Amino acid sequence: MAAARGRGPADAVEAHWQSLRLSWQWRHAVHRIRRPGRPYPGIVPLLEAAAAQPRLRRLYPFTSHFALLFSSSTSYPWTVQAGSIEPLHNGRFMVRRRSPFAVIGEVETAEEAVALVLELLPTDPEPVITAST
């Protein structure tokens, strides 16, 4: 990540998408070994569905308590765009708006959840920037 940040915000965003997907895939694999048969929230398919969308792919993804959020800043404090998507244990996905905070809906698939977040995204989201430290 440090090398990607050194190359600029676009590289930091791309590196973090890859890192986030790999780390959640690993956590899911460990869960299947340690707790076979127990459900695991659909964060991996959610990350894959979100990564397939160019408008979201240019934003910095981060997770908090399994919820996926998107920032126009590549470091804390985050500048959250649109809303968040939370994979639920029942296999569904809950979409929340950030401002004003509200539940937008609960849908069956990661693709439907991503479509709802895309509707909440400003037509021209802020460019990705690296926050000063």
Side-chain angles (χ1 to χ4, degrees):
M1 282 302 299
R5 285 186 189 283
R7 290 189 301 271
D11 281 358
V13 167
E14 181 57 33
H16 196 67
W17 272 105
Q18 292 176 21
S19 173
L20 204 56
R21 287 168 64 190
L22 288 172
S23 66
W24 280 108
Q25 287 170 349
W26 179 82
R27 289 176 188 157
H28 186 214
V30 169
H31 176 84
R32 283 192 312 239
I33 292 166
R34 291 184 177 166
R35 295 184 175 97
R38 292 194 62 196
Y40 190 80
I43 189 76
V44 173
L46 175 57
L47 283 163
E48 291 168 359
Q53 296 299 320
R55 290 182 65 212
L56 292 178
R57 187 65 182 239
R58 70 183 236 184
L59 297 170
Y60 190 82
F62 67 99
T63 55
S64 177
H65 300 89
F66 282 94
L68 176 61
L69 300 99
F70 310 92
S71 175
S72 60
S73 173
T74 60
S75 62
Y76 187 83
W78 309 116
T79 307
V80 176
Q81 300 292 317
S84 63
I85 306 171
E86 179 183 349
L88 305 173
H89 283 283
N90 64 5
R92 296 173 59 87
F93 298 84
M94 182 178 296
V95 178
R96 292 189 171 111
R97 177 192 340 251
R98 294 300 286 177
S99 181
F101 186 76
V103 172
I104 298 302
E106 190 176 308
V107 294
E108 293 288 329
T109 68
E111 291 77 13
E112 290 173 302
V114 167
L116 283 177
V117 164
L118 284 169
E119 290 176 16
L120 297 173
L121 197 60
T123 54
D124 187 25
E126 297 176 33
V128 174
I129 56 169
T130 301
S132 347
T133 53

